């Protein structure tokens, strides 16, 4: 505060002049001192002056005061220097001194400005309003000399905010953060209102108006119009016609808080986006309202625009419709698989019930299907049953958690197995199987997406050739279906069949058999992958041996003539993974036996040992290179891989055998020749590429061995094709499936007959089916193959195999005379070959003479006399081949040459039979030569 000063009387002595260094103040409108020695009319004594506080009125006028005018500490002589403050307070002290000096100067100036008597009011005003701003300082050791400047009528300046330096410059201030947040909120609110006002609820996207996808044979004739697009299997029902259990099950599966939440759930959307971004899988953050909007009003594309529309339409729809109406619409538009749109159609397709009659167990399964209709159909995809069960349990647990199902009822619940699909659509017969296979091919090869197919408008020309497709269906009907007696033989109700035929040179699938009828047996027998392939896998083991130059445990190169021990349950040698001693079929032992003969008879003990000699991992890799998918179930690098424990599909096996037929060159199979959109825009297909999967020598040597199987092994029924052929039979564990995989130079075809319970979908043995003791590869599968191949290639010139064999493979050898094989167990040393796939009984060669005939040893070609008859499809190995039931009379060959002349049912050779002298089985060296002299006509 300023102390009021009274002007001195005239009689008082004038104050002494200021000492050197004293600052002078000039009042606003006042005069400077006249000169030294002249006493001013008024003087003032400044005892203590404090700087004015913020907001106090400022003084008018400007004055400068020296440090001499500042109050001095008591006892200090005038003019003595002031000690500098020590420590960090020095600057602060200097600042305070400057402010004090400025205030004093201002007061002095005010007093000076009022130089006449009677100016007390002005002096008081000036003194009261004086404001001083001190400036001073020093750097280092100098004495601070504050200079005070008084500015009349103004306010004191505020100190500037220090500049941010270093890393603090990159951190936003709280003002910046707050400003950004406010702006962002305002922007979002603005965008929301703009979007809400711009997006309207569109007309319904009725599925009935969608275009159909048209599927064509290779010649342009129509296979089917996909009814999922133009003739949707759907029946709309009111919510009251849907059981409460069904309603609750769908809510438990898709949106448990549907009745209490808003139309959209931003938190769920953010969570789903985060889970997808962090690799936890694609998840939906959509409510049931949003899903209904997508199904009923919008397309299915995954775009930001569509999601934004879905967001705003859902909000508007939630204001216009009740929750019950939205749930009803959702249940009537959701896709459940099996061409069923809506829960009513789904209840009929899976259980033959109406939606109102669905109980919790069945309702929970249908609700589970909404998440993945194709994958969770346990009848169509038995291999996915575990995942379907997990989803089913999830739904039921959710119903319990929400109080819609009691825990007691939940505990005793069993999974309700759905029935085989029954459809009354244009996909009956083989058409549905073909359409499904083509759709799967397009989607898995990323040619067209599932959503694009659902949108329709595609015209798809397949590689399926109608004449060959018809021939395949007829062969299955003639050799299998027509012989079933489901009323009197229960095993006949288990019979299923699958087949696929591939052009080896192009990789095109030219025919496919999926089952008896798509609307009766939904599962495609050609593409399913849940039955063991059995001994049809063994050729891959031998191919791998040649490809890798493998040797036996004692260092002998593996060739068709390499001798192995075929003793039943012989422990494999050289395997460090534990003891393994596989059984041969029917527990038969064969003693020392060549690889060729072991292949003819499908000897398990030989091929298990060969797998170890080659290396199970190498065997697996060869199979993959030939065309077997690497993720095939049970395709494991163990010795058992040789026995066909893997569950490849029929189509996969056809692709692999086509690689062998094409001299080791593999081209991925294709089902589509051409595809267009809206009649004109052609969709690009993958380039048809082929690579040498295995060496030609490896593939061709395998072909040579497999020709023996057809001529004198377990597949002699394949001779009925009337063409040079190679192939292998196979039987799954417990006779649950029987296979034949074979090929000519022009066509590779695989046929499988499988056993499956029509109610539970469990795999079943086929003992007693067709009235036979057992089902094996040499029976119906080979017979179907032979008839189909003959008809499919009818009119096409006969082509022979052009083989480049492994060194020494062109000479047929037998084990030395010192063989340890026991009489009667070597399957061909004394009186013909033992039957079966590893001893198959039906279709193998059983050259046991029935009427006085004697069978000679193969040393000189063999001699049959006095009407020896072969039975059960037997085949002689010395110049001619007799078909099933054929009798050979008086037939004799010398030195391995010559041609047989069967008189009843036999086959006369025309292409081969020019083996060299001493060849024990007729030779394989002439043009078109074959084991036993070649196929008959």
């Amino acid at each position: 505060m300023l102390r009021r000063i009274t002007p001195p009387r005239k009689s008082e002595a004038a104050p002494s002049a200021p000492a050197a260094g004293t600052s002078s103040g000039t009042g606003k409108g006042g005069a400077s001192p006249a000169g030294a020695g002249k006493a001013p009319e008024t003087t003032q004594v400044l005892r203590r002056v404090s700087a004015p506080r913020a907001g106090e009125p400022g003084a008018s006028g400007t004055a400068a005061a020296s440090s001499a005018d500042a109050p001095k500490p008591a006892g200090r002589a005038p003019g003595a220097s002031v000690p500098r403050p020590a420590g960090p307070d020095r600057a602060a002290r200097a600042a305070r001194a400057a402010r004090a000096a400025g205030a004093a100067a201002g007061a002095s100036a005010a007093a000076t400005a009022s130089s006449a008597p009677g100016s007390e009011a002005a002096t008081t005003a000036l003194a009261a309003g004086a404001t001083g701003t001190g400036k001073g300082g020093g750097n280092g050791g100098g004495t601070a000399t504050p200079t005070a400047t008084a500015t009349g009528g103004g306010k004191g300046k505020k100190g500037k905010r220090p500049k941010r330096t270093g890393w603090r410059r990159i951190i936003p201030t709280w003002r910046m953060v707050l400003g950004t947040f406010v702006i962002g909120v305002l922007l979002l609110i603005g965008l929301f209102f703009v979007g809400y006002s711009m997006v309207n609820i569109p007309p319904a996207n009725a599925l009935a108006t969608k275009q159909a996808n048209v599927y064509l044979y290779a010649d342009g004739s129509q296979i089917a119009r996909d009814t999922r697009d133009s003739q949707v299997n759907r029946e709309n029902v009111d919510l009251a016609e849907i059981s409460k259990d069904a309603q609750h099950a769908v809510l438990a599966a898709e949106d448990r808080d549907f009745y209490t939440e808003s139309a959209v759930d931003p938190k769920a959307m953010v969570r789903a986006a985060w889970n997808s971004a962090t690799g936890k899988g694609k998840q939906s953050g959509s409510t049931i309202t949003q899903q209904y909007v997508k199904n009923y009003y919008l397309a299915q594309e995954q775009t930001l625009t569509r999601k934004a529309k879905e967001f705003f339409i859902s909000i508007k729809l939630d204001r216009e419709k009740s929750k019950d109406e939205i749930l009803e619409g959702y249940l009537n538009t959701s896709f459940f698989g099996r061409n069923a749109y809506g829960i009513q159609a789904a209840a009929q397709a899976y259980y033959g019930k109406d939606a109102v009659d669905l109980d919790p167990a069945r309702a929970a399964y249908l609700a589970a299907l909404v998440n993945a209709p194709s994958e969770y159909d346990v009848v169509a995809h038995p291999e996915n049953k575990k995942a379907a069960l997990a989803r089913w349990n999830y739904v039921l647990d959710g119903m319990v958690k929400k109080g819609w199902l009691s825990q007691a009822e939940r505990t005793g619940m069993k999974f309700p197995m759905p029935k085989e699909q029954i459809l009354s659509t244009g996909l009956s017969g083989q058409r549905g199987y073909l359409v499904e296979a083509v759709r799967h091919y397009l989607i898995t090869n990323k040619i067209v997406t599932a959503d694009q197919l659902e949108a329709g408008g595609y015209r798809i020309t397949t590689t399926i050739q109608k004449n060959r497709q018809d021939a395949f269906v007829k062969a299955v009907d003639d050799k299998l279906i027509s012989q079933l007696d489901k009323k009197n033989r229960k095993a006949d109700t288990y019979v299923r069949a699958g087949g696929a035929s591939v052009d080896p040179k192009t990789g095109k699938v030219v025919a496919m058999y999926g089952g008896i009828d798509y609307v009766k047996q939904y599962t495609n027998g050609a593409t399913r992958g849940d039955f063991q392939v059995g001994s049809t896998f063994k050729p891959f083991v031998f191919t791998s041996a040649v490809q890798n130059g493998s040797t036996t445990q004692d260092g002998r190169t593996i060739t068709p003539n390499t001798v192995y021990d075929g003793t039943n349950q012989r422990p494999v040698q050289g395997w460090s993974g534990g003891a393994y001693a596989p059984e041969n079929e029917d527990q038969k032992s064969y003693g020392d036996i060549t690889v060729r003969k072991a292949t003819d008879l499908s000897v398990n003990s030989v091929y298990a040992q060969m797998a170890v000699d080659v290396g199970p991992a190498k065997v697996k890799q060869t199979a993959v290179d030939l065309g077997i998918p690497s993720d095939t179930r049970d395709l494991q690098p163990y010795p058992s891989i040789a026995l066909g424990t893997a569950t490849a599909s029929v189509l996969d096996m056809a692709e692999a055998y086509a690689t062998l037929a094409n001299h080791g060159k593999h081209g991925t199979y294709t089902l589509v020749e051409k595809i267009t959109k809206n009649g004109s825009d052609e969709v690009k297909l993958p380039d048809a590429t082929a690579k040498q999967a295995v060496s030609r020598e490896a593939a061709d040597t395998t072909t040579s061995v497999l020709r023996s199987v057809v001529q004198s092994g377990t597949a002699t029924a394949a001779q009925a094709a009337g063409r040079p052929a190679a192939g292998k039979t196979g039987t799954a564990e417990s006779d649950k499936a029987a296979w034949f995989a074979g090929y000519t130079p022009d066509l590779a075809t695989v046929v499988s007959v499988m056993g499956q319970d029509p109610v539970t979908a469990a795999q079943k043995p086929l003992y007693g089916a067709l009235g036979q003791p057992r089902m094996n590869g040499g029976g119906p599968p080979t017979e179907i193959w032979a008839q189909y191949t003959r008809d499919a290639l009818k009119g096409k010139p006969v082509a022979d195999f052009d083989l480049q064999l492994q060194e020494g493979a062109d000479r047929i050898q037998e084990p030395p005379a010192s063989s340890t094989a026991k009489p009667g167990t070597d399957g061909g040393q004394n009186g013909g070959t033992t039957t079966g796939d590893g001893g198959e009984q039906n279709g193998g060669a059983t050259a046991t003479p029935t009427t006085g005939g004697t069978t000679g040893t193969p040393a000189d070609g063999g001699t049959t006399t006095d009407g020896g008859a072969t039975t059960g499809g037997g085949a002689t190995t010395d110049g001619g081949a007799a078909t099933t039931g054929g009798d050979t009379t008086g037939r004799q060959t010398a030195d391995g040459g010559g041609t047989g002349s069967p008189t009843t049912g036999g086959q006369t050779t025309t292409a081969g039979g020019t083996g060299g002298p001493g060849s024990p089985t007729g030779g394989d060296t002439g043009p078109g030569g074959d084991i036993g002299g070649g196929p008959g006509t």
Side-chain angles (χ1 to χ4, degrees):
M1 294 294 291
L2 291 175
R3 183 178 179 182
R4 185 172 182 177
I5 306 299
T6 303
R9 297 182 182 88
K10 294 181 179 180
S11 58
E12 294 178 355
S16 60
T22 303
S23 64
S24 63
T26 303
K28 187 176 182 180
S32 301
K38 184 178 180 179
E41 280 187 38
T42 60
T43 60
Q44 60 180 345
V45 178
L46 191 63
R47 293 295 179 88
R48 182 178 181 182
V49 180
S50 299
R53 295 183 179 86
E56 293 180 354
S60 61
T62 305
S66 71
S67 60
D69 293 321
K72 300 177 176 59
R76 180 174 298 145
S81 62
V82 181
R84 289 177 296 181
D89 292 336
R90 177 183 177 186
R93 290 174 182 270
R96 286 199 296 272
R99 287 197 297 270
S108 176
T112 304
S114 183
S115 59
S119 59
E120 181 178 346
T123 303
T124 304
L126 290 171
T131 303
T133 302
K135 296 182 180 179
N139 51 2
T143 302
T145 305
T147 301
T149 303
T151 304
K155 295 183 179 180
K157 294 183 179 180
K158 296 181 179 180
K160 291 185 178 180
R161 188 179 296 108
K163 292 184 178 181
R164 294 154 59 88
T165 59
W167 60 269
R168 291 184 177 85
R169 289 182 298 176
I170 64 175
I171 299 179
T173 66
W174 67 269
R175 292 181 179 85
M176 296 171 63
V177 173
L178 180 60
T180 303
F181 176 78
V182 172
I183 293 173
V185 170
L186 293 175
L187 184 61
L188 287 176
I189 293 173
L191 289 174
F192 176 83
F193 281 105
V194 170
Y196 187 85
S197 62
M198 292 181 63
V199 177
N200 297 316
I201 299 178
N205 182 21
L207 293 176
T209 63
K210 293 170 63 177
Q211 297 183 69
N213 289 326
V214 181
Y215 294 82
L216 308 173
Y217 287 109
D219 62 2
S221 58
Q222 183 173 299
I223 298 175
R225 300 179 68 88
D226 192 348
T227 57
R228 276 167 298 193
D229 302 320
S230 61
Q231 303 171 18
V232 176
N233 178 26
R234 183 183 65 202
E235 181 183 356
N236 289 341
V237 292
D238 295 332
L239 193 62
E241 298 177 76
I242 303 172
S243 72
K244 282 291 184 181
D245 288 329
Q247 296 177 40
H248 292 154
V250 172
L251 291 175
E254 298 297 318
D255 192 356
R256 297 177 183 180
D257 298 320
F258 169 74
Y259 276 97
T260 58
E261 70 182 3
S262 61
V264 295
D265 186 355
K267 187 165 75 171
M269 295 170 67
V270 172
R271 181 176 63 248
W274 174 256
N275 289 337
S276 297
T278 55
K280 296 181 180 179
K282 290 185 178 181
Q283 298 184 13
S284 173
S286 301
T287 63
I288 276 182
T289 304
Q290 289 174 275
Q291 293 182 55
Y292 171 55
V293 168
K294 181 182 69 172
N295 292 340
Y296 195 67
Y297 294 105
L298 302 174
Q300 300 293 321
E301 72 272 8
Q302 296 293 327
T303 63
L304 290 176
T305 302
R306 200 272 295 164
K307 292 294 290 185
K309 289 181 179 179
E310 177 188 302
F311 181 87
F312 291 113
I313 294 172
S314 297
I315 295 174
K316 288 190 173 183
L317 193 69
D318 195 49
R319 296 171 62 89
E320 295 183 9
K321 289 190 175 185
S322 67
K323 292 288 188 180
D324 283 348
E325 289 176 309
I326 294 173
L327 179 60
E328 177 184 305
Y330 175 76
L331 291 172
N332 280 318
T333 56
S334 296
F335 180 59
F336 291 82
R338 294 195 179 186
N339 197 33
Y341 286 82
I343 198 165
Q344 169 68 14
Q348 288 289 342
Y350 287 90
Y351 294 111
K353 292 179 175 290
D354 291 328
V356 71
D357 297 323
L358 288 172
D359 55 29
R362 291 179 174 84
Y365 177 66
L366 294 182
L369 288 170
V370 176
N371 185 257
S374 298
E375 294 182 15
Y376 290 161
D377 188 337
V378 296
V379 175
H381 297 282
E383 66 275 13
N384 294 337
K385 187 174 182 179
K386 184 177 181 180
L389 281 172
R391 183 69 179 174
W392 179 72
N393 284 317
Y394 168 80
V395 175
L396 290 175
D397 291 341
M399 295 176 69
V400 172
K401 186 175 182 179
K402 296 296 291 185
W404 297 327
L405 181 67
S406 69
Q407 183 61 55
E409 189 177 7
R410 163 73 180 92
T411 302
M413 202 165 290
K414 294 183 178 180
F415 180 75
M417 192 70 188
K419 65 183 182 66
E420 289 269 8
Q421 184 186 25
I422 298 177
L423 297 176
S424 56
T425 70
L427 298 180
S428 60
Q430 297 300 307
R431 291 176 298 208
Y433 299 122
L434 295 176
V435 168
E436 279 298 323
V438 172
R439 285 174 61 91
H440 183 265
Y441 172 82
L442 291 172
I443 294 170
T444 55
N445 286 278
K446 298 180 181 180
I447 300 170
V448 178
T449 67
D451 289 343
Q452 289 173 326
L453 279 175
E454 288 297 327
Y458 290 95
R459 189 174 184 86
I460 303 162
T461 303
T462 71
T463 59
I464 303 297
Q465 298 176 10
K466 191 176 187 306
N467 63 326
R468 290 180 172 178
Q469 180 68 26
D470 293 341
F472 215 147
V473 174
K474 187 176 186 305
V476 176
D477 288 343
D478 291 348
K479 299 298 183 180
L480 182 68
I481 305 301
S482 63
Q483 300 181 38
L484 298 178
D485 185 358
K486 296 183 179 182
K487 292 183 178 180
N488 299 314
R489 292 193 295 262
K490 186 175 182 179
D492 284 0
T493 65
Y494 302 150
V495 172
R496 301 285 187 273
S501 186
V502 178
D503 184 332
K505 296 179 177 63
T506 64
K508 295 179 180 180
V509 180
V510 298
M512 178 185 295
Y513 185 89
I516 188 172
D517 192 332
Y518 182 74
V519 302
K520 296 179 181 178
Q521 294 178 3
Y522 178 65
T523 306
N524 190 336
T527 59
R528 68 187 300 169
D530 57 332
F531 281 89
Q532 292 180 344
V533 301
S535 293
T536 55
F537 195 91
K538 287 175 179 172
F540 305 156
V541 181
F542 179 73
T543 302
S544 187
V546 180
Q547 172 73 14
N548 292 287
S550 301
T551 60
T552 62
Q553 293 293 305
D554 56 1
R556 292 173 291 125
T557 300
I558 299 175
T559 71
N561 297 315
T562 300
V563 175
Y564 272 92
D565 185 354
T567 302
N568 181 50
Q569 293 186 310
R570 175 186 178 275
V572 297
Q573 305 297 315
W575 172 246
S576 59
Y580 182 59
E583 296 180 356
N584 293 332
E585 187 74 18
D586 296 329
Q587 303 290 321
K588 291 185 178 294
S589 290
Y590 298 91
D592 287 348
I593 188 172
T594 64
V595 169
R596 187 184 296 274
K597 199 68 175 179
T599 308
D600 290 352
L601 305 176
S602 203
V603 182
N604 291 339
S605 58
V606 170
Y607 269 90
Q609 181 62 60
M610 191 188 301
V612 173
D613 294 345
V614 177
K618 292 181 180 179
V619 172
K620 176 182 177 179
Q621 186 58 53
T622 297
V624 171
D625 292 341
L626 291 172
I628 303 300
S630 59
D631 60 351
T632 298
R633 194 175 64 182
D634 295 329
L635 183 64
Q636 300 297 333
Y638 307 130
S640 58
I641 192 174
L643 309 188
T645 55
T647 57
S649 71
V650 169
L651 185 55
D652 293 335
M653 294 298 289
E655 181 179 348
Y657 270 74
T659 304
L660 294 175
N662 196 32
H663 308 294
K665 186 174 291 187
H666 172 252
T668 304
Y669 77 87
T670 177
L671 272 165
V672 177
E673 193 80 57
K674 180 182 179 182
I675 178 170
T676 59
K677 171 73 172 175
N678 296 326
S680 59
D681 300 331
E682 188 166 348
V683 178
K684 181 175 175 57
L685 297 174
D687 294 332
T689 58
K691 65 177 182 179
Q692 197 71 37
V694 296
S695 68
R696 176 166 183 170
E697 180 183 87
D700 287 359
T701 305
T702 302
T703 297
S704 172
V705 172
L706 295 183
R707 293 182 73 182
S708 298
V709 177
V710 173
Q711 291 302 315
S712 59
T714 58
T716 54
Q719 296 173 24
R723 291 174 180 265
K728 184 71 185 73
T729 57
T731 305
E733 186 178 1
S734 300
D735 283 6
K736 293 177 181 177
W739 297 69
F740 180 69
Y743 52 94
T744 69
D746 302 306
L747 204 57
T749 306
V750 177
V751 179
S752 179
V753 177
M754 299 159 279
Q756 179 179 353
D757 190 301
V759 177
T760 66
Q763 296 184 11
K764 291 288 186 178
L766 290 174
Y767 300 120
L770 278 69
Q772 300 175 359
R774 66 194 309 173
M775 179 73 66
N776 52 55
T782 305
E783 294 168 2
I784 292 169
W785 182 93
Q787 178 176 322
Y788 161 72
T789 302
R790 181 193 66 204
D791 295 344
L793 295 176
K794 187 176 182 180
K796 189 176 181 66
V798 176
D800 202 358
F801 291 103
D802 177 20
L803 305 180
Q804 295 179 9
L805 304 181
Q806 178 188 34
E807 185 178 357
D810 56 339
R811 296 186 298 274
I812 309 302
Q813 299 178 0
E814 292 293 337
S818 60
S819 169
T820 59
K822 299 177 181 179
T825 63
D826 190 24
Q829 301 294 321
N830 287 311
T833 61
T834 309
T835 64
D837 179 34
E840 288 188 11
Q841 292 182 346
N842 192 14
T846 58
T848 304
T850 58
T851 56
T854 60
T855 305
T857 62
D860 293 315
T863 303
T864 347
T865 59
D866 298 327
T870 61
T871 61
T876 59
T877 59
D878 55 355
T883 60
T884 304
D887 296 327
T888 56
T889 58
R891 184 177 55 188
Q892 179 175 350
T893 60
D895 297 328
T899 59
S901 302
T903 59
T904 308
Q907 294 181 332
T908 306
T909 63
T910 58
T914 59
S919 178
T921 58
D924 192 22
T925 58
D930 203 344
I931 299 169
T937 56

